[in-house]
Amino acid sequence: MEKRKSDVFFMDKLVELNELEIKKSKVLAAIFQKTISEMEKKKIQSLDANFEEQAKFYDQYLEDYEKTYQEMKNRYEEQLSQILEQYQELFVNLYLELQEAECNQKIAITNWKKSYDIKQEILDKANSSMIEEYDRKIQACIQKKQNYDIIIEECEKELEKCATQMEKRVNSLFQDKSSQVFLTEISFLGKIMNKIKNIFTGKSKFNTYVMEPMKVELEMIETKLPDIIENMEQEMVTFVAKIKQAKAETNQIFEQMI
Amino acid sequence: MESIILDGKMIKLSSLPKEKLKQILDRLNDEEIEIKEEISRILEEQT
């Protein structure tokens, strides 16, 4: 009776663990998705805000630049989406590896318990070689579970790295435009002077200091991004191969032990 | 709709701010450690 109670408790704990891991994966994905949406929104908002404020500073009508700006903004959004989608793909691939590892670990834990129970049942009836066989199975399952502890930890670390690296990389490539806004509080006289200067040089300055740098930055992003994405793909393939190798070695060790 | 049940209540994850989601994740991580320790304890006691 006591044994049955303990078995039910054990199975309950495994089911509980499984449910927790599912919940965790949903929350982790929601955090990642939220980070992506926030970054995308922030970058586009700062691009718009910077453009509007600079136009105001140089007394330029936004309508005059609407078509050119919209074209640049579309290209900017496209580049931003490309890198974010790549990180999303990386996240999904890493998560699949983690889920598989968690699943394999639970199988190892279940087999560990099963082997122990069978060993207890046959303890008085079976010969010593059969008992030794189950002892080996128990040890092999313990080893498998411990190996998966390391594999799971590696996958979790990589997932964390994916999120932090995404924020760093996107921020360095798509620099926050808000920081470039140089509109500060200027005196009334300063404003008058600025208006007069803008009549003569506003348009050319706006082109030199706003439109041209935006164009250059965009071209730089478009040049750099394919290499960045290629590197990311290579890193992903390398990591997934490393994890698959570790899983294969874990299975090999298990087979050798039993 | 991506949702989870927490403390008997269904929570729509997309409606929560990131900070709240991080708090939930921390809590789930702690619970996971506890369950894993309990499972290991049961197995170690038996072996």
Side-chain angles (χ1 to χ4, degrees):
Chain A
M1 190 65 189
E2 201 54 41
K3 160 98 177 56
R4 192 171 152 66
K5 237 169 103 179
S6 141
D7 285 352
V8 171
F9 181 71
F10 175 80
M11 284 318 290
D12 281 351
K13 287 290 152 194
L14 263 190
V15 171
E16 225 177 292
L17 179 63
N18 188 44
E19 284 169 358
L20 250 174
E21 284 169 351
I22 293 170
K23 278 183 194 172
K24 254 184 74 181
S25 72
K26 285 184 177 181
V27 176
L28 210 61
I31 292 174
F32 193 75
Q33 202 49 54
K34 213 145 229 179
T35 307
I36 284 185
S37 311
E38 280 174 7
M39 284 186 93
E40 208 163 12
K41 199 172 148 194
K42 197 179 151 204
K43 294 288 164 199
I44 300 300
Q45 271 177 352
S46 79
L47 189 79
D48 282 340
N50 176 62
F51 188 75
E52 281 165 26
E53 289 191 33
Q54 299 270 24
K56 197 173 152 195
F57 184 81
Y58 290 112
D59 285 318
Q60 297 302 300
Y61 294 109
L62 284 173
E63 299 78 43
D64 295 345
Y65 301 89
E66 204 179 332
K67 199 176 164 232
T68 322
Y69 177 67
Q70 196 53 51
E71 274 170 15
M72 283 203 271
K73 190 178 158 183
N74 289 346
R75 280 165 64 194
Y76 188 86
E77 279 176 322
E78 197 189 311
Q79 298 299 307
L80 188 59
S81 297
Q82 264 189 49
I83 193 163
L84 293 176
E85 272 168 26
Q86 193 62 33
Y87 271 105
Q88 242 168 342
E89 196 186 320
L90 175 64
F91 182 87
V92 170
N93 282 323
L94 294 175
Y95 216 91
L96 288 175
E97 290 304 320
L98 174 66
Q99 277 183 326
E100 194 189 89
E102 283 173 341
C103 185
N104 288 349
Q105 189 182 49
K106 280 196 285 289
I107 293 171
I109 292 171
T110 311
N111 286 337
W112 175 0
K113 177 81 170 92
K114 207 170 127 190
S115 299
Y116 171 78
D117 287 345
I118 295 173
K119 185 192 151 190
Q120 290 305 107
E121 271 176 36
I122 61 165
L123 211 52
D124 298 328
K125 304 162 220 164
N127 56 32
S128 61
S129 72
M130 211 168 168
I131 292 168
E132 272 171 25
E133 189 191 319
Y134 277 97
D135 273 336
R136 279 200 306 276
K137 275 186 184 171
I138 291 168
Q139 288 311 312
C141 290
I142 292 173
Q143 189 59 56
K144 198 173 186 179
K145 186 247 170 209
Q146 285 169 347
N147 288 350
Y148 270 109
D149 275 339
I150 297 167
I151 295 173
I152 288 169
E153 203 186 311
E154 281 295 307
C155 290
E156 283 177 341
K157 265 192 213 160
E158 201 65 20
L159 271 169
E160 213 179 297
K161 199 176 120 191
C162 171
T164 48
Q165 197 195 58
M166 176 181 75
E167 287 191 60
K168 266 191 199 164
R169 199 168 257 173
V170 170
N171 281 332
S172 82
L173 200 60
F174 299 83
Q175 281 170 19
D176 201 346
K177 297 292 171 297
S178 310
S179 60
Q180 291 172 14
V181 174
F182 54 86
L183 273 181
T184 47
E185 285 297 314
I186 48 174
S187 65
F188 178 71
L189 193 64
K191 279 180 188 169
I192 300 282
M193 289 300 287
N194 203 38
K195 286 245 176 236
I196 295 168
K197 275 196 279 179
N198 280 340
I199 294 170
F200 301 103
T201 57
K203 192 176 172 66
S204 70
K205 278 190 174 171
F206 186 71
N207 274 315
T208 311
Y209 299 125
V210 183
M211 297 304 279
E212 208 44 46
M214 263 180 80
K215 208 176 126 196
V216 170
E217 192 194 344
L218 192 56
E219 281 164 4
M220 184 271 293
I221 294 170
E222 285 171 338
T223 313
K224 275 186 177 179
L225 203 61
D227 286 341
I228 290 174
I229 288 178
E230 202 187 315
N231 280 342
M232 278 176 70
E233 279 168 352
Q234 274 169 6
E235 275 173 27
M236 180 170 71
V237 168
T238 309
F239 181 78
V240 170
K242 197 177 103 183
I243 291 297
K244 292 221 181 288
Q245 172 78 10
K247 285 174 184 171
E249 279 170 13
T250 298
N251 283 340
Q252 232 173 354
I253 293 167
F254 178 79
E255 294 297 330
Q256 281 165 2
M257 283 180 82
I258 59 169
Chain B
M1 184 178 86
E2 272 306 5
S3 56
I4 58 166
I5 293 178
L6 210 63
D7 302 324
K9 287 180 198 158
M10 186 174 274
I11 300 169
K12 191 180 165 194
L13 294 173
S14 60
S15 66
L16 296 179
K18 214 160 94 178
E19 272 317 301
K20 183 73 191 159
L21 288 169
K22 281 182 180 170
Q23 281 172 15
I24 294 174
L25 187 65
D26 285 343
R27 184 187 142 176
L28 294 175
N29 275 331
D30 290 344
E31 286 178 21
E32 187 189 23
I33 292 169
E34 262 178 51
I35 294 177
K36 278 190 170 175
E37 277 173 359
E38 226 164 330
I39 289 172
S40 295
R41 188 183 48 77
I42 297 168
L43 290 167
E44 274 155 24
E45 267 175 18
Q46 294 191 344
T47 44

